[in-house]
Amino acid sequence: MDRRDFLRAVGLAAGVSGAGALLAACNANERSGGGALTVSPGGTLRILYDGTSQRLDPARSQSLAITFSGLIHRRLTAWKTSADGPTTVVPDLATDTGRASADGKTWTFTLKDGLKMSDGTPITSAEIKYGIERSFDPAFAGGLGYHKTLLEGGTSYSGPFKSGDLASIETPDAKTIVFHLARPYGDWPWIVSMPAFAPVPKGKGTDATYDSSPVASGPYQVASYTKGVEIRLTRNPNWDPKTDVARTGLPDEVVMQLGQDTGVMSQRLLASGGDDAHAFGAAFVNPAQLAQIRTNPAAKDQLVTSKSGALAYLALNTRRGPLANPKVRQAFQYAVDKTAYQIATAGTADLAGPVATTLITEGIVGREVFDLYPAPPTGDVAKAKQLLAEAGYPDGIQNLDFPVSTANNYADKAQAIQAALRRAGIETKLRPLDDDAWQAVATGNDDNAYDLTLTSWQPDFPSANANIQPLFGTSEIGNNGYNISRYSVPEVDALIAQAQGTVDPAAAGKLWAQADRRILQDSPIVPLIYTRNSFLHGSKVGDFAIGEFPAYPNYLQMGLAK
């Protein structure tokens, strides 16, 4: 999974931005003159993207279910997004979202009738099993890999070409697929919405060329792929819209234009000349441009902003020096100035995103709103000093090591944090690192590599599981795991295991909310803000909306006006 503040969902540009005062997702397609833009079948939808390539091989993809690869590949389940409610899991190739055994370790799915791939191959349980098995081969690594440790025997399996059959995936007949998990896991219906669960015809995908010419199961197939230039998708003649609740498949073609300059991209979309009227930007609109756009009334119809997004947070190394003391870490909750962080992020508070007080992000089922450390957004310096004195540091703390990535403007954001902490007598030494070096320090095995650091996190799927376990499970410390606060509490690990093994979503949600509170009592991180993302689209692009989760537009629902 991607562990930064953006997801490699469709290669979205790194950055955090937003303009909450401009346009909320719920009225994204309201026109200035009133009413919604009416879309119809046909036309060519264009996607402007600043990257030079895309992973189209489902085994190698980290794409979210609602983004580019979802136009090409279907999975057992899909996501239904909403601007006024949580994202839900819905059947895709399967007839339902899965049937669990009483112990939550066995999941059974039945496929819909009459499904075919773009080359005419019938979609049976064998094609799905082969696609999943293929994702284990090291030659096709890089995709989202939750299933690799969840499937029984997965940790020692190396794919069909080296290890043969994976016994924990059974296909008793052409329409039935059964998964045997190593432990109970209630979020398995979300896992099977990930790219690796797309069908692959037996014998296909044996070399790297599959990454540019995969066999399609979605509404579009790859007609051409010129790296650095464009990817052109045309209709898959074997896609049946009556079987697909997640995709409208309205445009005749979809073209992703690669290697686009983000600044020029925004200008083109606002002008909406020619083909650009039928285009949208896959990159976030940067804060400097947002400040200009918000003064342009004509741009209102073309800008869509998420309500919130990734959790930006300050991680405190619970295994190092003074920060091993929970009371010291609690002092940080009051010492930070979240308003200053918002300004450092995007210039103004409303552009940056709302202040955060919980670990579970907005738009996730089961999230509860609470604040264990109530204070003004600018902080409570007196309270921070009081807690430091009670912890045995009446004169403050000196020389805390504060490595920070130079990517995504983190250096400027870290300076805002540093200045706020200084007010409470907490002195830090900023240590700028390029992103690869920062990743090595933050996710490496040395518990003494740093005192605190700054990052963000957005889940890979719409469950509190993906908020909590990767950041606070003991298993995620070191070895490139993202528990960078080095937080390890047996009670929390047990609560995580209990929640993961609970099949009923409502019951699981209560356990995750309990875990949220329990973890924050120990203050391993300071939640800062829920970052906002903003996107521009051309004047003829409709059904362009951002749901409560994730903070990206749903590519699968868009259409064009004539």
Side-chain angles (χ1 to χ4, degrees), residues 42 118 125 133 179 231 285 367 375 415 428 438 448 452 495 539 546:
S118 56
S125 55
E133 289 176 335
F179 301 99
I231 304 170
V285 182
R367 178 177 184 264
Q415 289 177 8
T428 63
W438 178 86
N448 290 304
L452 66 159
L495 194 53
S539 59
I546 301 175

Side-chain angles (χ1 to χ4, degrees), residues 181 293 324 428 527:
L181 309 186
I293 293 170
T428 63

Side-chain angles (χ1 to χ4, degrees), residues 86 103 148 250:
D103 64 1
K148 295 179 182 180
L250 290 175

Side-chain angles (χ1 to χ4, degrees), residues 483-516:
N483 184 344
I484 59 177
S485 56
R486 314 273 164 166
Y487 179 75
S488 178
V489 174
E491 178 189 347
V492 171
D493 286 335
L495 194 53
I496 288 172
Q498 183 184 1
Q500 286 184 331
T502 301
V503 174
D504 178 64
K510 292 184 182 300
L511 291 169
W512 289 120
Q514 183 181 338
D516 194 338

Side-chain angles (χ1 to χ4, degrees), residues 7 20 24-25 79 81-88 190 305-312 342 350 352-370 457-468 516 527-533 546-552:
L7 295 169
W79 299 3
T81 60
S82 171
D84 52 10
T87 294
T88 57
W190 291 114
T305 298
S306 66
K307 294 178 180 177
S308 67
L311 171 68
Q342 290 172 316
D350 66 310
V355 164
T357 60
T358 67
L359 307 174
I360 300 174
T361 47
E362 296 182 335
I364 300 291
V365 172
R367 178 177 184 264
E368 294 181 2
V369 179
F370 62 90
W457 179 265
Q458 180 150 339
D460 288 321
F461 57 100
S463 168
N465 183 356
N467 284 110
I468 300 295
D516 194 338
L528 297 170
I529 64 172
Y530 305 114
T531 60
R532 285 188 171 125
N533 299 337
I546 301 175
E548 286 196 357
F549 180 94
Y552 308 115

Side-chain angles (χ1 to χ4, degrees), residues 389-480:
E390 292 175 3
Y393 297 93
D395 298 323
I397 301 173
Q398 307 298 312
N399 299 321
L400 294 181
D401 180 37
F402 191 175
V404 61
S405 171
T406 54
N408 195 21
N409 200 35
Y410 273 123
D412 291 341
K413 299 171 191 176
Q415 289 177 8
I417 296 293
Q418 181 184 50
L421 296 178
R422 183 176 293 123
R423 303 175 306 170
I426 301 170
E427 293 290 343
T428 63
K429 290 184 175 181
L430 291 182
R431 180 157 58 104
L433 300 170
D434 67 62
D435 198 56
D436 288 341
W438 178 86
Q439 288 281 332
V441 168
T443 67
N445 295 328
D446 184 0
D447 287 344
N448 290 304
Y450 56 92
D451 289 301
L452 66 159
T453 192
L454 192 62
T455 189
S456 335
W457 179 265
Q458 180 150 339
D460 288 321
F461 57 100
S463 168
N465 183 356
N467 284 110
I468 300 295
Q469 191 273 337
L471 303 189
F472 305 103
T474 298
S475 63
E476 299 302 306
I477 297 173
N479 299 313
N480 298 314

Side-chain angles (χ1 to χ4, degrees), residues 304-320:
V304 183
T305 298
S306 66
K307 294 178 180 177
S308 67
L311 171 68
Y313 64 95
L314 180 68
L316 308 175
N317 187 343
T318 61
R319 296 185 174 182
R320 183 169 160 87

